Amino acid sequence: MSKGRFGTHGGQYIPETLMNAVIELEAAYEHYKNDEAFNRELTELLNEYAGRPSRLYYAKNMTENLGGAKIYLKREDLNHTGSHKINNVLGQTLLAKKMGKTRVIAETGAGQHGVATATAAALMGMECEIFMGEEDTKRQALNVYRMKLLGAKVHPVKSGTATLKDAVSETMREWTARMDDTHYVLGSVMGPHPFPEMVRDFQAVISKEIKAQLMKKEGRLPDAVIACVGGGSNAIGAFYHFIGDESVRLIGCEAAGLGTDTPSTAATIATGRAGIFHGMKSYFCQDEYGQIAPVYSISAGLDYPGIGPEHAYLHDTGRAEYVAVTDDEAVDAFEYLSRTEGIIPAIESAHAVAYAMKLAPTMDKRKIIVINISGRGDKDCAAMARYRGEEIYE
Amino acid sequence: MSNIRKAFEGGKAFIPFITCGDPDLDTTKKLVRAMAEAGADIIELGIPFSDPTAEGPVIQAANVRALSGGVTTDKILDMAAELKKDVSVPLVFMTYANVLFSYGIERFIKRAREAGMDGVILPDVPYEEKEEFSPLLKKYGMDFISLIAPTSKERIEMIAREADGFLYCVSSLGVTGERSRIASNVGEMTSLVKKVSDIPTAVGFGISTPEQAKAMAAAADGVIVGSAIVRIIGEYGADSVSRVSQYVKTMKQAIRSA
């Protein structure tokens, strides 16, 4: 079996043209991940620039309102650029710089990863080009402006369904054309090895902090950690340091869109099956002939037909559970958290909040749930208003 | 010796590519017969995939046309079986890993062999992942066509040593599509191949004119053309057959004069 496997999942299903680029990346990552100076520099960036560690906030109102388990919110939304994406981006951009690359390219769905990449490129003086589905450039016009403001060039992708999967395909095509001076900052725990492992390592800071923070506040481990899953980077980051702690339930919330019994869904574990796409073997939404399905979710960031290979493996082994949350439930949770705690979550993160709202009341008051609030919801306000039938101008 | 290798024995080989079902399978059958008649030595048949990450805009569009016309893997396998009753030129499938994986790799290969197909090209399956496909193709007597690229460098020898059928030399960085200039040194790539193997080499990606084909044929054993033909099909649809046939004749002539 080839490199980068999680059970049967993972691997390196990419054109020969890219093989030496990923081999070079793997060698650089293997070297720098244990390099003291690199880690010192990255930690300094994460702390001083991105604002880590992010807070672990006891959501008292929500806990009392739901009347069950004690709820903590991991506030990745408070990071610089407004989401967990910056953790991975600072790691990869710093690595790219050490590798002598002068240009970074990235895909983006909701625009959070694109904004984070444009930010890191501005900081480190690198050229930056972002590929974004044309459909998403309309849904997330504000983020397109932010990326341009930060000095990035934004390419609307018109092929296929003009959403996240097409943005990934187009960024891969661009990388195939130019890799000498260019690093592809993949935004999730997906793609060919070493990306799933490397992105996980850069995001694992989330669970490392949760563990230490909760130990300090409660003197124990949580009973459940809940996170939303598209490709799955914030979820794997929130799960990683708990994988060995069997008592901690790990729950990934997929985007069910209009429902897993409709074609308008992006819930990969619920409706997909094993396949090979975007450089990896994993689970994908696809038809009987392996054609990738045009998925749907209200959340541009979860609107992806696959899931990272490590999640596929955690699903196979039963270590993590994956549940599907509909648009309606996510929008309700978006509004609920805003009113109850004064925290506007990203619509992506609202999928995790929605499931916690169902789970918490079924649990004993002595139990503890941690929800990863992967991003802030300012970017979603116009779309949520439209969902409720109100037209507002951004 | 496999049928594919035999196809290189009569001189430089011309290998056209078309997407099955673009615009419909009837036209595909006519195109295959016409190209065989016009001098094609091997024909690459693309099985369309929803997200062809190695393709440029021209072949991407052909994939969309074919899939929206309702073509499926089963219909293409049936078409291949029908064609092979009278077409003697070796046919190879070009598609993506998920098309085989989803169908069942062995089930696909068995049916392709029964249909009379001679090989498979999977641009998203590099050397590192070929164990899942190559031994099964061997078992049924088909060739797994390996690719080398301008970035392959020290990998070329390793790939060439284990290559079957012919070695697909990707002429340029990036995706498929016509290019006004081919920058990389194809001769350097093919001479590295010849150091370790007598496998025939065929150059593809970016070639559209007879002049380019002639230049590439001087450095390799064959020339592959996809986008330039698919563009004609995209433009003329079901009426493209005679135009494609004429194009294949011109290109074959050009490489035979190399």
Side-chain angles (χ1 to χ4, degrees), chain B residues 73-137:
Chain B
T73 308
D74 279 316
K75 289 179 187 170
I76 290 168
L77 286 163
D78 290 344
M79 177 202 70
E82 196 188 320
L83 277 172
K84 283 309 284 188
K85 285 180 191 156
D86 56 274
V87 174
S88 58
V89 166
L91 303 181
V92 302
F93 278 135
M94 207 301 314
T95 189
Y96 286 78
N98 203 43
V99 171
L100 270 69
F101 185 78
S102 163
Y103 199 86
I105 298 174
E106 183 155 12
R107 177 172 167 244
F108 176 93
I109 292 170
K110 190 166 176 284
R111 281 212 58 195
R113 189 53 181 163
E114 282 163 7
M117 297 297 295
D118 287 293
V120 171
I121 306 172
L122 300 171
D124 58 346
V125 177
Y127 179 87
E128 278 73 1
E129 301 292 353
K130 77 184 171 90
E131 276 314 295
E132 213 172 341
F133 299 90
S134 169
L136 283 169
L137 283 159

Side-chain angles (χ1 to χ4, degrees), chain A residues 2-3 5 11-20 23 159 165-166 169-170 172-173 176-179 273-278 281 286-292, chain B residues 48-53 55 60 67 72-74 97-99 101-103 123-126 128-129 132-133 147-149 151-155 159 170 173-175:
Chain A
S2 68
K3 280 190 279 189
R5 291 284 171 174
Q12 295 178 303
Y13 299 89
I14 49 171
E16 170 60 22
T17 308
L18 281 176
M19 276 310 298
N20 264 331
I23 290 168
S159 59
K165 85 172 160 81
D166 310 289
S169 297
E170 208 51 40
M172 281 184 170
R173 290 182 183 117
T176 312
R178 185 170 164 189
M179 62 211 90
R273 59 191 173 87
I276 298 170
F277 184 49
H278 279 163
K281 188 179 279 181
Q286 53 188 313
D287 75 6
E288 60 169 315
Y289 289 105
Q291 306 295 344
I292 303 301
Chain B
F49 182 51
S50 52
D51 300 82
T53 47
E55 313 296 350
Q60 282 179 46
L67 288 173
T72 66
T73 308
D74 279 316
N98 203 43
V99 171
F101 185 78
S102 163
Y103 199 86
D124 58 346
V125 177
E128 278 73 1
E129 301 292 353
E132 213 172 341
F133 299 90
L147 294 93
I148 56 171
T151 49
S152 297
K153 295 174 186 148
E154 75 290 347
R155 294 170 55 83
I159 296 167
V170 175
L173 297 181
V175 293

Side-chain angles (χ1 to χ4, degrees), chain A residues 117-187:
Chain A
T117 305
T119 298
L123 175 70
M124 299 190 206
M126 296 170 94
E127 229 183 295
C128 179
E129 292 184 37
I130 303 295
F131 295 81
M132 186 171 186
E134 192 176 44
E135 206 45 52
D136 293 335
T137 61
K138 291 178 199 151
R139 287 199 274 193
Q140 301 287 350
L142 182 61
N143 272 342
V144 174
Y145 182 76
R146 289 167 81 196
M147 288 183 267
K148 287 181 180 165
L149 185 64
L150 291 159
K153 196 167 165 190
V154 180
H155 301 276
V157 176
K158 296 184 178 72
S159 59
T161 49
T163 59
L164 181 54
K165 85 172 160 81
D166 310 289
V168 173
S169 297
E170 208 51 40
T171 319
M172 281 184 170
R173 290 182 183 117
E174 173 63 22
W175 202 29
T176 312
R178 185 170 164 189
M179 62 211 90
D180 255 13
D181 64 348
T182 300
H183 173 68
Y184 178 6
V185 183
L186 233 166

Side-chain angles (χ1 to χ4, degrees), chain A residues 14 25 46 53 57 70 178 182 203 223 226 240-241 276 280 282-283 292 299 305 366 371 378:
Chain A
I14 49 171
L25 176 63
L46 289 171
Y57 169 73
K70 206 166 174 183
R178 185 170 164 189
T182 300
Q203 292 295 1
D223 297 287
I226 306 178
Y240 187 65
H241 287 284
I276 298 170
M280 60 183 168
S282 188
Y283 292 109
I292 303 301
S299 147
R366 283 162 302 183
I371 311 170
D378 310 48

